[in-house]
Amino acid sequence: MRYLFIISFIFLAYSCKPSEEKGKDMSKESDATTVSQHQKDKNDISAISTKDFREFKVLDSKYINTNELWDAINADLNDFSEQQYQALKPLILEQDIPTLQKHMVSGKLSYENLTKFYLYRIQKFDRGNPLSLNSVISINPNVIAEARQKDMELLNKKLKHPIFGMPILLKDNINTAHMPTTAGAVALQNNTTKDAFIVRQLKAKGALILGKANLSEWAYFFCGDCPSGYSAIGGQTLNPYGRRVIDTGGSSSGSGVATAANFCVAAIGSETAGSILSPASQNSVVGLKPTVGLLSRSGIVPISSTLDTAGPITKNVTDNSIVLDALFGEDKADPKAIYNLWESPFYYRSLEDVSLKGKRFGAFKKLMEDELYAQAVEVLKQEGAEVIEVEALDVKLPEFIRLLNLDMKKDLAAYLADYGNSKLGYASIEDIMAFNQTDSLNVMPYGQKLFHGISEDASTDNEFEALKTVLKTNGQRFFDEPMTAHNLDGILSVNNYHAGFAAVAEYPALTVPMGYTEEGVPKGLTFISSRLREKQLLEWAYVYEQASKMRKAPESYN
């Protein structure tokens, strides 16, 4: 039962456990110690779990000059005043995409002013002040000019998709032109690239790339003993519901924080196991981790080609469905791509017509002790759903970390060769580790424990395939057995508690705000179902969201 408890709270339960290494200078650890620890850690998922830090070694970025961040945009932003900002707040703050588009068509709002509004808020709140969140790493220097172009195109009736003209932030492990893609790492601070496939998808439908969001460095598969939301490039991302008190979740920390604080219409995150679900739930927003292969991974700094996926983070379910619809498409360069599905638009159609009558969900008995979860279950019942309490299976995920080690060793090298900037001169993870040692205090103040593990790990092809098969089988069993036994449509979880199982099963999961603890910590109700059931997850979450209306914007940023 002890293992069941630990694994059911995967990637988050450890956040209440103080790190035993907090006072240790990880930049000075010996290779021998690291390798020995690596052998012990292959099954220890706490290494990539969020941790509850109160004292940070580093808070503000040593690599972002705030003035330089805005130099390219200030001339276009100088004519936007506090008076204009206050006048636009009722039209923009917390509004969904369809509402914003109605304001465009009616003439109450322009894409240029919408873009300037978000830039003004980022400049006002994100860095260098008592409310700073450190959620944005870079700004697209052309975004205001691009917004003006969208206004011209609207006059010519070129609005064909709801994402048209909407300013979107990208997690800074997603390649895009005009801004480097750093993964939060100093080694990649000059990694200028072409657009990733999903960025081309967004732009083709008219979306505006506003900038890049901070993240847990290397998607939280780097240090092992550091707080979520930290990167050397971006500094320490902080939670708008409780700066330096409430964990941001990771690794898409900046994407979750920026969305919650209304710094963008939506943000794109990425997940290997919990990296969208965690920051979305911790910041009271909606996060979707799709079926692996639904969205392209080409041009995204990887951890695992087996498990990685991008996904949308939004303030509401409607926007999440719109962004997902803009992202998906067939990428022949992605070996796990799912081909010949449906045509856009698909995901955001008919959400308002959905009912939960006749739907059957499994609720874990242990989680029913959580008051917010129990209340959410009652809301679903009131909406017509049947909820059956089930016991979580005693299923293990052996050598989970080893899967990530083995994948990242080859996948990062492939990214550097195929999608990174060739002038950087890196060909392997060892090259980056060597760079990090040149200025360890600034480049890796928490060490690079997990990178050591990656470097030292190895297996035969047969061993690796067997490892992946066991993990995928176990992950699918965890959901499939109760779903089959009780004829369930989906499973109900909390935050990212079962993200590890969904990851190895390659199943989709969606989290939606379900309230706040007595201490004000946000929590999310997480829907999980089988392969390619994103539309159903969105429909169920929409009904719950509309019935419960639990999201509240962070007070200090209104």
Side-chain angles (χ1 to χ4, degrees):
M1 289 300 294
R2 181 177 180 273
Y3 182 83
L4 244 182
F5 176 79
I6 292 172
I7 205 69
S8 69
F9 286 80
I10 210 168
F11 300 101
L12 189 62
Y14 285 89
S15 66
C16 298
K17 178 181 177 183
S19 170
E20 296 176 358
E21 304 288 347
K22 183 186 277 189
K24 181 180 176 183
D25 185 355
M26 297 303 297
S27 66
K28 298 179 181 178
E29 63 189 353
S30 72
D31 287 351
T33 300
T34 303
V35 174
S36 173
Q37 185 66 38
H38 158 63
Q39 298 303 322
K40 294 165 56 180
D41 284 349
K42 288 180 182 178
N43 296 323
D44 183 9
I45 303 174
S46 68
I48 53 172
S49 307
T50 55
K51 301 169 183 68
D52 195 19
F53 277 66
R54 290 292 177 268
E55 296 179 9
F56 303 105
K57 288 186 179 181
V58 180
L59 191 62
D60 295 318
S61 170
K62 298 179 181 180
Y63 296 92
I64 293 178
N65 181 306
T66 305
N67 292 328
E68 291 178 1
L69 182 68
W70 294 98
D71 277 350
I73 210 88
N74 272 333
D76 284 333
L77 197 56
N78 279 341
D79 64 347
F80 191 82
S81 66
E82 176 72 17
Q83 184 177 5
Q84 286 174 286
Y85 167 74
Q86 293 295 337
L88 289 174
K89 277 173 67 174
L91 296 176
I92 299 173
L93 212 62
E94 290 292 299
Q95 300 302 319
D96 62 20
I97 290 174
T99 300
L100 294 174
Q101 294 291 14
K102 286 178 184 177
H103 292 333
M104 301 296 172
V105 174
S106 70
K108 293 180 180 178
L109 191 58
S110 68
Y111 296 119
E112 180 180 351
N113 279 339
L114 177 66
T115 301
K116 287 181 174 179
F117 177 89
Y118 288 126
L119 291 171
Y120 190 88
R121 276 183 69 81
I122 294 168
Q123 200 171 50
K124 184 182 181 78
F125 289 119
D126 199 48
R127 292 185 183 270
N129 64 76
L131 293 174
S132 60
L133 299 172
N134 298 336
S135 68
V136 177
I137 280 182
S138 57
I139 298 295
N140 177 3
N142 306 314
V143 69
I144 293 177
E146 291 167 2
R148 290 184 186 127
Q149 181 63 32
K150 297 304 175 193
D151 285 322
M152 295 295 294
E153 292 176 9
L154 180 64
L155 293 176
N156 294 323
K157 300 183 179 179
K158 290 190 176 181
L159 194 166
K160 295 180 180 179
H161 192 283
I163 202 75
F164 183 91
M166 296 294 105
I168 308 294
L169 283 173
L170 304 174
K171 182 177 181 179
D172 198 20
N173 62 347
I174 302 171
N175 285 2
T176 192
H178 309 302
M179 293 165 281
T181 298
T182 72
V186 179
L188 298 186
Q189 64 181 326
N190 296 314
N191 184 33
T192 52
T193 68
K194 297 179 181 178
D195 288 333
F197 182 93
I198 60 169
V199 177
R200 297 200 302 270
Q201 289 290 101
L202 289 169
K203 289 183 176 181
K205 295 175 178 66
L208 295 168
I209 305 305
L210 185 65
K212 306 295 280 290
N214 201 3
L215 70 162
S216 306
E217 188 167 337
W218 292 106
Y220 214 28
F221 202 58
F222 174 54
C223 41
D225 293 285
C226 54
S228 54
Y230 169 78
S231 76
I233 290 290
Q236 180 64 53
T237 313
L238 300 171
N239 193 312
Y241 292 91
R243 293 178 72 259
R244 306 181 71 170
V245 176
I246 300 174
D247 193 274
T248 60
S251 65
S252 305
S253 315
S255 299
V257 168
T259 301
N262 282 270
F263 291 165
C264 55
V265 167
I268 311 302
S270 69
E271 173 154 332
T272 304
S275 290
I276 289 172
L277 299 177
S278 167
S281 55
Q282 287 290 112
N283 290 281
S284 199
V285 289
V286 179
L288 172 65
K289 175 257 180 187
T291 302
V292 176
L294 179 65
L295 302 184
S296 165
R297 290 88 54 80
S298 298
I300 301 176
V301 181
I303 292 178
S304 167
S305 56
T306 305
L307 306 181
D308 287 352
T309 179
I313 296 178
T314 60
K315 291 181 286 294
N316 56 74
V317 176
T318 298
D319 289 358
N320 206 278
S321 65
I322 289 171
V323 178
L324 179 63
D325 188 84
L327 289 169
F328 87 88
E330 299 179 6
D331 175 17
K332 292 181 172 58
D334 188 336
K336 298 200 82 162
I338 299 167
Y339 296 143
N340 301 319
L341 291 175
W342 31 81
E343 292 185 1
S344 175
F346 175 74
Y347 292 105
Y348 70 93
R349 280 180 181 162
S350 308
L351 277 179
E352 297 178 359
D353 301 329
V354 174
S355 169
L356 292 185
K357 291 180 180 178
K359 302 300 179 187
R360 293 169 60 85
F361 300 109
F364 291 116
K365 290 181 180 179
K366 182 66 177 177
L367 292 185
M368 291 300 292
E369 299 172 9
D370 184 317
E371 183 178 350
L372 292 176
Y373 182 78
Q375 289 173 359
V377 166
E378 286 304 310
V379 171
L380 294 173
K381 288 179 178 179
Q382 291 168 11
E383 292 301 310
E386 297 178 62
V387 181
I388 294 86
E389 293 188 25
V390 298
E391 293 281 2
L393 294 183
D394 186 5
V395 176
K396 296 176 173 57
L397 300 180
E399 297 197 289
F400 184 95
I401 295 297
R402 192 169 186 221
L403 167 63
L404 305 189
N405 286 345
L406 296 172
D407 259 347
M408 191 169 183
K409 178 180 283 189
K410 63 179 176 60
D411 293 339
L412 180 57
Y415 168 87
L416 293 169
D418 298 338
Y419 299 104
N421 189 319
S422 61
K423 294 180 181 178
L424 295 176
Y426 309 125
S428 68
I429 199 159
E430 288 79 13
D431 290 342
I432 292 169
M433 292 171 67
F435 170 86
N436 292 341
Q437 291 286 358
T438 62
D439 184 12
S440 60
L441 185 63
N442 291 312
V443 172
M444 54 169 195
Y446 297 98
Q448 53 182 343
K449 173 180 168 183
L450 295 179
F451 267 27
H452 279 288
I454 296 166
S455 178
E456 295 297 326
D457 218 335
S459 78
T460 66
D461 290 344
N462 288 341
E463 287 173 342
F464 190 29
E465 290 305 315
L467 184 159
K468 289 193 286 186
T469 298
V470 169
L471 285 169
K472 186 170 185 176
T473 300
N474 288 5
Q476 291 182 344
R477 269 193 62 212
F478 184 82
F479 300 110
D480 291 353
E481 287 194 15
M483 288 177 69
T484 300
H486 300 283
N487 191 27
L488 303 177
D489 293 284
I491 297 289
L492 304 174
S493 182
V494 174
N495 291 12
N496 59 332
Y497 290 1
H498 300 96
F501 293 109
V504 294
E506 302 182 22
Y507 284 175
L510 183 150
T511 191
V512 61
M514 73 172 186
Y516 308 82
T517 67
E518 291 182 0
E519 295 76 25
V521 180
K523 280 192 172 183
L525 176 66
T526 300
F527 295 85
I528 304 170
S529 194
S530 52
R531 188 174 183 269
L532 291 175
R533 300 204 77 199
E534 285 81 3
K535 188 168 179 65
Q536 287 75 25
L537 295 180
L538 289 160
E539 290 172 348
W540 304 334
Y542 178 82
V543 174
Y544 170 74
E545 174 192 65
Q546 296 303 304
S548 62
K549 296 193 180 296
M550 295 307 298
R551 171 173 160 78
K552 298 176 183 176
E555 291 182 1
S556 298
Y557 301 86
N558 288 334

